[in-house]
């Protein structure tokens, strides 16, 4: 023990006194200990004298009397206390002792009185005083009464249950409404105004400038009879759309030959069958989509008619009722109409439609929708964010124009001024020109068998431009006769023709021009074909001309001509082909074969007999062969001497 | 070279005297995302755009009076975009009931030779900074949330150091003078951003 260094253990007596407070510097202030008398007084104050008096509860009468009495006494006491507030700690003890003494005295007096048995006697108190002989009538009545109360209780319970069931059903429907509302909110813009829920149908957030408010109201569907079975398509949520957006609508675009009377065109109204409900989609959803479509159609039409009135064109656009009429080409009429059907009218109008031919230009209708959306996008994106960020929100061209020193033309080139109507008219022109070109080529191809005309339409085209490759060939000689290959670029107003050799010819929108051009090309083709054939057959081309200056004047284009000589030079074939006059084939024979030719005195020598003599026309229609080139081949073969 | 005398005439931008209504606030870096989220919800439905700008502040000191300050700003993200030259006047000491700071403002788009031009005129560059952040709009309201950083090497915008751990949030509108309804709109917009950022009318003079 002594070896281990002493560990200092400090012992401190546990604090017996209560800490009154600890000051900020850590000094504890103790409560001074109570003196003996104070301690006693404190303990005495804790005594509950009221507890002891419970023992004489057996005598309720006496008790109440005593308590009455003591109450009075207490009141007196309290009165005393009011006047001289007790500062003496023993005060309550004294009071209780005094009241105890009084009670003891009373008890003593009572006991002494009972002892005398003169005025008072003690009797056992009966425990069951209800054993009363009641008559049976009373029993019955009481039983009835109690039964009635029991029944009432049961009834009340049943009523409560009923109510709670109804409530829970109501709650379930409420929840259903909320779920539907949540669903609606995930797809449509909603806001709360007052106690109404309003939704937004308009495309304003997408950039639309249409003034229609496009507001719908969400209402709770409460008109359902609780007693009846809920129908399958019941939806707790219903939407109310503005009356002018009800029903269905679409834009109809068509191109017609101009009719004499415009007046009756204004009443076009065609109606489409109502949309089939997709399974799994709510009624309100269909309703809203239809209404939004109506709104969009109305916006398109409003925009178009506004432009139709504003735009100055040489043939003014006409706006009649729900129709806009424009003249893309003379004698042609583009009509754009807004067809809006409300549900009740649909049945009356549906029948006469069936007989009408369907002259919709679905492409243009689709493009109109596309254009209006582009227009929306443009309005949204026209507010481009400025860079640097401190610059104000102005159109970019305004900010760029100054520093870049743009002139007027450059500024206006930055400005997109073409409207919806102009675009759609251009597209209509193009579509019309394209279809007419196709028709022209097809009709030529079906009318003229020799030479053949083939058109290869390009799949890839623009809304304003498409192209077709036209090949003119002869059947059976496709490989050697490839002279005419035309590329037709069909634009909005005109057709540009690009030859294989790079020449460019511009044709107007007139149908006749294209037809004439193709006819002249076909006639040239025949002569070209002879030239190609001559090469293959070993004949020599003596002369060739696409545009012959001699002979009868053709009404379309020019005649072309070729002269080819046989390999040994004995024969020559001359072909003249005009688009209108048709072809003329002449064969030149050597002089020796021309019997009717008079012997000349000058040409004595036999060698001159090989000079070519007169021409003879071939009766071409009597020639065998299925087409011109084949006949020509036969002719050449016939005139070629055997080796 | 002696600096030309500085006019004390108020500068106005042509015939229409435009005023800038401004509210400012700041947000800590960590709560930036929630602010941007909120702004995307509140502002116009345009793709949120970020920007990176370099601002040069030029002073023209006269013999007496306050120096004349011009701010030249260019976009780092769009180098071909024109420079932006801006004059900001002293805040109006109008009535206290107005909710936004109002000051005169002249905006000019300028070509890329702006710094040389200003130097030739006798302006001297006082300080420069790089602001990177996001820009939103709601109608005429412009909300710019940007991080300001100083260029460590003068003129070099690649080498920067952030000035603070927070983003500056500015709500501004350009409007002709006397359109006090604008400040009402701004206040209500600022209210909607309330728990995230407190936009207030801050007098720059008090901070100097």
């Amino acid at each position: 023990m002594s070896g281990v260094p002493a560990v200092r253990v400090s012992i401190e007596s546990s604090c017996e006194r209560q800490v009154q407070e600890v000051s900020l510097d850590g000094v504890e202030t103790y409560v001074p200990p109570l003196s003996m008398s104070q301690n006693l007084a404190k303990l005495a104050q804790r005594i509950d004298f009221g507890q002891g008096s419970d023992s004489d509860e057996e005598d309720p009468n006496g008790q109440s009397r005593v308590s009455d009495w003591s109450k009075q006494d207490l009141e007196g006491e309290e009165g005393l206390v009011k006047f001289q507030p007790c500062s003496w700690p023993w005060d309550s003890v004294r009071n209780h002792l005094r009241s105890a003494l009084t009670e003891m005295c009373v008890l003593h007096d009572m006991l002494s009185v009972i002892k005398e048995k003169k005025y008072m006697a003690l009797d056992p108190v009966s425990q069951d005083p209800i054993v009363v002989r009641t008559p049976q009538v009373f029993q019955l009545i009481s039983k009835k009464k109690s039964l009635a109360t029991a029944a009432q209780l049961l009834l009340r319970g049943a009523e409560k249950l009923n109510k709670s069931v109804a409530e829970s059903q109501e709650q379930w429907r409420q929840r259903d409404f909320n779920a539907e509302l949540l669903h609606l909110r995930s797809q449509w813009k909603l806001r709360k105004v007052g106690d109404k829920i309003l939704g937004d149908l308009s495309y304003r957030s997408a950039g639309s400038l249409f003034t229609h408010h496009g507001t719908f109201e969400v209402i709770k569907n409460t008109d359902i009879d609780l007693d009846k079975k809920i129908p399958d398509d019941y939806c707790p949520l219903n939407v109310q759309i503005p009356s002018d957006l009800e029903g269905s609508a679409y834009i109809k675009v068509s191109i017609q030959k101009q009719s004499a009377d415009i007046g009756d065109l204004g009443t076009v109204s065609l109606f489409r069958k109502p949309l089939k409900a997709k399974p799994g989609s709510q009624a309100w959803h269909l309703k809203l989509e239809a209404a939004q479509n109506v709104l969009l159609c109305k916006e398109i039409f409003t925009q178009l008619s506004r432009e139709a009135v504003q735009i100055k064109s040489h043939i003014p656009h006409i706006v009649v009722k729900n129709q806009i009429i424009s003249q893309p080409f003379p004698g042609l009429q583009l009509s754009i109409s807004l067809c809006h059907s409300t549900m009740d009218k649909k049945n009356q109008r549906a029948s006469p439609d069936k007989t009408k031919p369907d002259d919709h230009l679905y492409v243009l209708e689709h493009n109109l929708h596309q254009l209006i959306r582009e227009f929306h996008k443009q309005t949204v994106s026209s507010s481009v964010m400025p860079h640097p960020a401190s610059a104000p929100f102005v159109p970019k061209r305004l900010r760029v124009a100054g520093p870049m020193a743009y002139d007027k033309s450059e500024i206006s080139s930055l400005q997109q001024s073409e409207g919806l109507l102009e675009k759609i008219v251009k597209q209509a022109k193009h579509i019309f020109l394209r279809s007419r070109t196709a028709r022209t080529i097809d009709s030529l191809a079906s009318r003229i068998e020799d030479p053949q005309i083939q058109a290869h339409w390009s799949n890839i085209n623009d809304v304003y431009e498409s192209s077709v490759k036209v090949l003119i060939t002869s059947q059976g000689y496709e490989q050697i006769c490839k002279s005419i290959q035309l590329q037709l670029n069909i634009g909005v107003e005109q057709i540009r023709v690009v030859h294989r050799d790079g020449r460019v010819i511009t044709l107007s929108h007139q149908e006749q021009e294209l037809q004439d051009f193709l006819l002249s090309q076909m006639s040239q083709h025949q002569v070209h074909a002879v030239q190609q054939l001559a090469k293959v057959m070993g004949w020599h081309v003596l002369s060739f001309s696409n545009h012959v200056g001699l002979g009868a004047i053709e009404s379309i284009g020019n005649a072309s001509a070729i002269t080819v000589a046989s390999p040994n030079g004995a024969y020559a074939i001359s072909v003249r082909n005009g688009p209108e006059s048709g072809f003329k084939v002449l064969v030149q024979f050597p002089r020796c074969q021309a019997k009717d030719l008079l012997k000349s005195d000058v040409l004595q020598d036999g060698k001159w007999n090989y000079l070519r003599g007169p021409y003879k026309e071939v009766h071409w229609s009597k020639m065998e062969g299925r087409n011109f080139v084949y006949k020509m081949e036969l002719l050449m073969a016939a005139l070629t001497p055997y080796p | 070279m002696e600096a030309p005398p500085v006019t004390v005439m108020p500068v106005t931008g042509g015939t229409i005297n435009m005023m800038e209504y401004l509210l400012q606030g700041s947000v800590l870096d960590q709560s930036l995302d929630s602010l941007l989220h909120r702004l995307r919800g509140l502002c116009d439905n345009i793709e949120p755009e970020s920007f990176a700008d370099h601002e040069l502040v030029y002073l023209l000191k006269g013999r007496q009076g306050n120096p004349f300050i011009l701010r030249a700003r260019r976009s780092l993200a769009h180098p071909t975009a024109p420079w932006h030259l801006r004059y900001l006047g002293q805040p109006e000491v109008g009535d206290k009931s107005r909710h936004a700071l109002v000051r005169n403002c002249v905006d000019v788009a300028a070509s890329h030779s702006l710094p040389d031009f200003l130097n030739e005129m006798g302006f001297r560059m006082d300080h420069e900074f790089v602001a990177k952040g996001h820009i939103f709009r709601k109608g005429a309201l412009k909300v710019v949330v940007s991080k300001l950083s100083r260029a460590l090497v003068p003129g070099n915008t690649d080498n920067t150091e952030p000035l603070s751990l927070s983003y500056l949030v500015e709500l501004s509108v350009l409007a002709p003078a006397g359109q006090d309804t604008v400040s009402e709109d701004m206040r209500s917009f600022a209210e909607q951003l309330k728990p995230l950022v407190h936009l207030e009318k801050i007098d720059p003079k008090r901070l100097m």
Side-chain angles (χ1 to χ4, degrees):
Chain A
M1 193 97 175
S2 57
V4 183
V7 179
R8 286 171 71 99
V9 178
S10 53
I11 297 167
E12 200 178 75
S13 68
S14 66
C15 188
E16 284 171 18
R17 299 186 203 168
Q18 264 185 315
V19 179
Q20 194 178 20
E21 69 168 329
V22 182
S23 63
L24 287 171
D25 54 350
V27 176
E28 293 171 342
T29 318
Y30 300 107
V31 179
L34 295 171
S35 67
M36 278 300 250
S37 60
Q38 277 170 326
N39 205 11
L40 184 64
K42 196 179 159 194
L43 289 174
Q45 268 172 340
R46 285 192 201 161
I47 300 167
D48 189 355
F49 289 94
Q51 254 177 0
S53 63
D54 286 358
S55 51
D56 44 7
E57 252 181 12
E58 287 160 26
D59 193 348
N61 299 335
Q63 167 76 29
S64 65
R65 216 182 327 136
V66 168
S67 58
D68 280 350
W69 184 82
S70 62
K71 242 182 230 165
Q72 277 175 355
D73 199 357
L74 266 171
E75 270 164 21
E77 282 286 333
E78 271 165 18
L80 254 174
V81 167
K82 268 176 204 160
F83 294 118
Q84 40 178 169
C86 89
S87 52
W88 190 44
W90 293 100
D91 201 296
S92 68
V93 178
R94 189 199 63 171
N95 290 344
H96 283 109
L97 282 176
R98 213 171 124 184
S99 60
L101 175 68
T102 320
E103 274 171 53
M104 286 301 288
C105 289
V106 170
L107 188 66
H108 179 257
D109 287 350
M110 240 165 74
L111 284 174
S112 58
V113 168
I114 288 165
K115 235 179 162 181
E116 293 287 318
K117 296 195 175 172
K118 223 173 174 180
Y119 311 103
M120 219 185 225
L122 283 177
D123 253 347
V125 183
S126 73
Q127 290 298 316
D128 43 355
I130 319 158
V131 193
V132 194
R133 305 240 180 268
T134 44
Q136 257 177 344
V137 186
F138 283 150
Q139 264 184 5
L140 258 175
I141 289 172
S142 69
K143 265 183 187 163
K144 209 176 161 186
K145 220 175 190 177
S146 56
L147 273 174
T149 42
Q152 215 168 3
L153 264 178
L154 281 174
L155 273 176
R156 216 182 291 154
E159 205 175 296
K160 242 182 206 172
L161 266 174
N162 258 342
K163 213 185 274 176
S164 77
V165 164
E167 235 166 49
S168 73
Q169 211 164 12
E170 175 63 28
Q171 257 176 7
W172 171 75
R173 284 204 296 132
Q174 173 75 22
R175 221 175 12 248
D176 216 29
F177 172 75
N178 288 340
E180 286 284 327
L181 192 64
L182 196 69
H183 197 58
L184 180 75
R185 208 177 129 68
S186 68
Q187 296 174 27
W188 299 89
K189 248 174 135 174
L190 295 180
R191 67 180 197 278
K192 197 156 188 252
V193 178
D195 55 347
K196 287 178 178 172
I197 303 170
L198 297 181
D200 190 12
L201 275 174
S202 73
Y203 282 91
R204 214 161 295 138
S205 60
S208 164
L209 302 173
F210 195 43
T211 45
H212 196 288
H213 57 85
T215 317
F216 66 91
E217 192 187 335
V218 180
I219 38 180
K220 197 172 163 188
N221 210 351
T222 47
D223 57 341
I224 187 149
D225 203 346
L226 278 174
D227 304 334
K228 284 182 192 157
K229 194 180 163 280
I230 296 171
D232 290 341
D233 58 346
Y234 169 73
C235 182
L237 187 145
N238 204 358
V239 288
Q240 183 149 33
I241 50 178
S243 57
D244 55 338
L245 295 183
E246 269 169 6
S248 67
Y250 61 100
I251 296 274
K252 185 193 171 225
V253 183
S254 59
I255 296 178
Q256 305 123 359
K257 291 271 182 293
Q258 192 149 32
S259 66
D261 186 19
I262 293 170
D264 62 337
L265 280 168
T267 52
V268 185
S269 39
L270 299 168
F271 300 103
R272 213 177 265 175
K273 44 202 172 301
L275 291 164
K276 288 273 184 326
K278 274 178 273 170
S281 63
Q282 288 83 349
W284 50 260
H285 192 68
L286 289 178
K287 220 167 152 186
L288 290 178
E289 272 190 346
Q292 199 173 32
N293 184 45
V294 174
L295 186 68
L296 188 69
C297 288
K298 284 197 165 190
E299 182 179 356
I300 293 172
F301 192 78
T302 315
Q303 176 74 18
L304 286 174
S305 39
R306 193 189 305 130
E307 282 174 18
V309 175
Q310 281 172 355
I311 292 168
K312 301 264 180 293
S313 67
H314 25 268
I315 306 165
H317 308 288
I318 307 162
V319 183
V320 195
K321 287 187 199 168
N322 63 342
Q323 195 170 25
I324 300 169
I325 299 163
S326 164
Q327 275 202 0
F329 293 122
L332 201 73
Q333 179 168 283
L334 170 75
S335 82
I336 303 168
S337 36
L338 171 71
C339 306
H340 186 190
S341 69
T342 40
M343 291 308 171
D344 48 326
K345 282 187 189 169
K346 186 192 67 194
N347 298 330
Q348 306 162 12
R349 304 267 190 142
S351 44
D353 280 343
K354 297 277 158 67
T355 54
K356 276 192 183 172
D358 195 16
D359 55 350
H360 277 265
L361 276 174
Y362 291 110
V363 176
L364 285 185
E365 285 162 23
H366 173 80
N367 282 1
L368 265 179
H369 283 260
Q370 216 167 11
L371 282 174
I372 195 85
R373 276 159 206 271
E374 257 169 41
F375 182 72
H376 287 170
K377 197 179 168 218
Q378 203 184 319
T379 47
V380 166
S381 60
S382 71
S383 55
V384 276
M385 289 299 184
H387 285 284
S390 61
F393 293 127
V394 285
K396 198 187 170 200
R397 64 190 161 83
L398 286 184
R399 292 202 307 119
V400 174
M404 301 293 177
Y406 279 169
D407 58 16
K408 196 183 164 194
S409 63
E410 279 169 310
I411 291 175
S412 58
S413 71
L414 284 172
Q415 220 168 352
Q416 261 229 346
S417 60
E418 206 170 48
L420 213 58
L421 184 65
E422 277 171 305
K423 279 182 186 162
I424 207 72
V425 167
K426 269 171 82 177
Q427 290 189 9
K429 278 179 170 180
H430 171 68
I431 285 178
F432 178 72
L433 203 57
R434 190 176 59 197
S435 65
R436 201 166 60 180
T437 306
R439 211 176 55 218
T440 308
I441 294 172
D442 286 354
S443 71
L444 277 179
S446 63
R447 208 176 65 203
I448 299 168
E449 283 174 4
D450 179 37
Q452 288 178 326
I453 183 163
Q454 298 172 3
H456 298 283
W457 289 90
S458 167
N459 295 340
I460 301 159
N461 46 27
D462 188 60
V463 283
Y464 300 135
E465 190 161 334
S466 48
S467 76
V468 56
K469 201 170 191 176
V470 176
L471 286 176
I472 300 171
T473 57
S474 300
Q475 199 196 349
Y477 296 88
E478 286 88 356
Q479 286 307 305
I480 57 165
C481 308
K482 281 196 242 169
S483 55
I484 308 281
Q485 282 183 9
L486 303 165
Q487 170 92 25
L488 266 61
N489 290 329
I490 302 156
V492 175
E493 295 267 1
Q494 56 194 20
I495 303 170
R496 282 172 77 243
V497 184
V498 184
H499 269 274
R500 203 164 70 147
D501 55 4
R503 276 180 299 151
V504 177
I505 298 164
T506 307
L507 304 174
S508 80
H509 59 84
Q510 297 285 348
E511 190 179 10
Q512 197 61 41
E513 265 184 58
L514 178 70
Q515 199 174 333
D516 292 355
F517 173 75
L518 286 176
L519 279 174
S520 77
Q521 289 298 312
M522 283 158 108
S523 94
Q524 279 189 13
H525 163 80
Q526 301 290 43
V527 178
H528 279 280
V530 175
Q531 189 192 14
Q532 302 289 332
L533 190 66
K535 273 185 199 161
V536 175
M537 305 281 287
W539 286 52
H540 307 291
V541 178
L542 297 181
S543 76
F544 174 79
S545 172
N546 263 333
H547 306 284
V548 182
L550 294 169
I553 298 168
E554 304 279 337
S555 61
I556 318 160
N558 291 316
S560 46
I562 187 167
T563 309
V564 288
S566 62
N568 62 0
Y571 297 93
I573 300 173
S574 191
V575 181
R576 183 185 194 273
N577 191 11
E580 202 183 27
S581 55
F583 33 75
K584 198 174 172 187
V585 183
L586 300 166
V587 177
Q588 197 181 25
F589 295 94
R591 291 181 74 87
C592 54
Q593 287 188 18
K595 282 141 192 134
D596 51 339
L597 203 69
L598 294 171
K599 289 276 188 240
S600 168
D601 296 337
V602 186
L603 306 170
Q604 293 289 336
D605 202 350
K607 67 177 178 186
W608 300 115
N609 278 336
Y610 294 101
L611 273 179
R612 283 192 294 270
Y615 280 97
K616 271 192 175 172
E617 191 175 347
V618 181
H619 293 286
W620 200 247
S621 54
K622 288 181 182 171
M623 280 281 292
E624 274 188 43
R626 54 172 183 267
N627 60 19
F628 177 81
V629 185
Y630 188 55
K631 285 178 183 177
M632 191 54 75
E633 191 187 352
L634 289 179
L635 181 66
M636 284 180 177
L639 295 177
T640 309
Y642 296 108
Chain B
M1 197 184 87
E2 199 168 309
V6 177
T7 57
V8 286
M9 290 285 287
V11 180
T12 57
T15 48
I16 305 165
N17 193 9
M18 293 301 267
M19 305 298 257
E20 188 193 41
Y21 292 72
L22 182 71
L23 286 178
Q24 286 173 313
S26 76
V27 66
L28 284 173
D29 287 356
Q30 51 263 39
S31 40
L32 175 72
D33 281 340
S34 46
L35 176 67
L36 293 184
H37 202 261
R38 183 104 184 94
L39 282 171
R40 277 188 72 169
L42 285 174
C43 291
D44 281 356
N45 183 21
I46 312 172
E47 279 300 298
E49 210 161 321
S50 57
F51 69 92
D53 290 349
H54 178 207
E55 183 160 328
L56 306 159
V57 180
Y58 285 89
L59 291 185
L60 183 62
K61 289 198 182 90
R63 287 209 195 92
Q64 73 277 346
N66 291 328
F68 186 79
I69 305 171
L70 282 183
R71 295 164 178 275
R73 196 159 175 157
R74 72 184 166 110
S75 173
L76 296 172
H78 297 73
T80 53
W83 281 60
H84 179 226
L85 180 65
R86 182 165 234 213
Y87 164 79
L88 291 171
Q90 291 301 323
E92 274 188 7
V93 278
D95 53 327
K96 289 271 196 292
S97 64
R98 199 148 51 193
H99 304 289
L101 177 88
V102 183
R103 57 188 178 185
N104 212 332
C105 175
V106 182
D107 291 298
V108 184
S111 64
H112 290 229
S113 52
L114 180 67
D116 298 334
F117 177 72
L118 289 176
N119 270 326
E120 289 294 323
M121 279 187 77
F123 281 91
R124 289 294 167 259
M125 195 187 77
D126 185 59
H127 59 275
E128 62 180 333
F129 61 86
V130 172
K132 284 182 187 171
H134 306 269
I135 178 165
F136 296 88
R137 81 175 285 184
K138 181 182 171 63
L141 294 176
K142 177 158 76 174
V143 187
V144 176
V145 182
S146 62
K147 179 97 176 165
L148 302 185
S149 33
R150 73 163 73 87
L152 292 174
V153 182
N156 185 358
T157 52
D158 300 328
N159 194 2
T160 57
E161 177 196 53
L163 279 168
S164 67
L165 291 175
S166 55
Y167 274 79
L168 173 69
V169 184
E170 285 179 305
L171 173 64
S172 64
V173 182
L174 273 183
Q179 288 203 350
D180 282 352
T181 50
V182 171
S183 61
E184 273 298 316
D185 294 345
M186 291 175 76
R187 193 184 60 89
S188 60
F189 187 82
E191 280 297 321
Q192 293 180 35
L193 291 175
K194 247 324 168 24
L196 292 165
V197 59
H198 289 265
L199 293 174
E200 284 162 15
K201 177 176 168 183
I202 293 166
D203 192 352
K205 260 195 286 187
R206 223 176 29 184
L207 298 174
M208 277 181 190

